[in-house]
Amino acid sequence: MSSSTMRNRAVVIEDDVLVLSLTAEILRRAGYVVHEAINGEDGLAKCRAIQPDLVVTDIFMPERDGIEVLREVKKSRPETRVVAISGGSPLLPRMDFLVTADKLGADAVLAKPFTPAQLLAAATSSDWDPDGKVRPLDRHSRKEPAMTIWDRSA
């Protein structure tokens, strides 16, 4: 990616420290300057301070969930690309959260677990179906983890 087309400031908001550090590292290796936040409140503060080009946010987390993050980021800076990620919760399946994030304006959604290539495709919108429809990946027929992606900009 050329520096003129790459979005280089990112905030990753995730309460699972391992997922946070791995997601941030994937983006760093792709050339992003990444700021990490362990909850929605800290993430929103970082978003206000650095005005990122990309926000990757978990949905289910303490101190402001990802839905609140999504709504506030899109309200204050609509051009920021927001990728919502979720593994669900003990009470609700992940798809409920991802459908909600999609309806509220997320540019892309990813179900955990996801691969580095899937994250980078969601971050850059370079690998989407041309019609922007749901792309399920079947865990039994592929080597990649099962996931679903939407892209609103396709």
Side-chain angles (χ1 to χ4, degrees), residues 4 10 12 15 38 75-76 115-116 143:
S4 63
V12 177
D15 62 326
I38 198 74
K75 180 181 175 185
S76 64
T115 67
K143 294 181 181 180

Side-chain angles (χ1 to χ4, degrees), residues 11-87:
V11 173
V12 177
I13 310 167
E14 168 64 65
D15 62 326
D16 180 318
V17 177
L18 180 60
V19 175
L20 174 65
S21 63
L22 289 173
T23 302
E25 184 60 25
I26 291 165
L27 293 172
R28 280 188 188 100
R29 289 183 182 198
Y32 287 84
V33 174
V34 180
H35 300 265
E36 300 175 26
I38 198 74
N39 62 56
E41 191 65 41
D42 184 35
L44 283 170
K46 288 182 178 172
C47 287
R48 286 187 287 271
I50 69 161
Q51 298 186 2
D53 302 295
L54 172 68
V55 173
V56 178
T57 183
D58 187 22
I59 299 294
F60 191 70
M61 42 181 190
E63 298 182 43
R64 311 271 312 256
D65 63 38
I67 298 297
E68 291 178 89
V69 169
L70 166 64
R71 293 177 81 180
E72 188 164 322
V73 168
K74 285 299 187 178
K75 180 181 175 185
S76 64
R77 193 171 152 84
E79 69 275 15
T80 298
R81 184 163 180 84
V82 178
V83 177
I85 61 175
S86 182

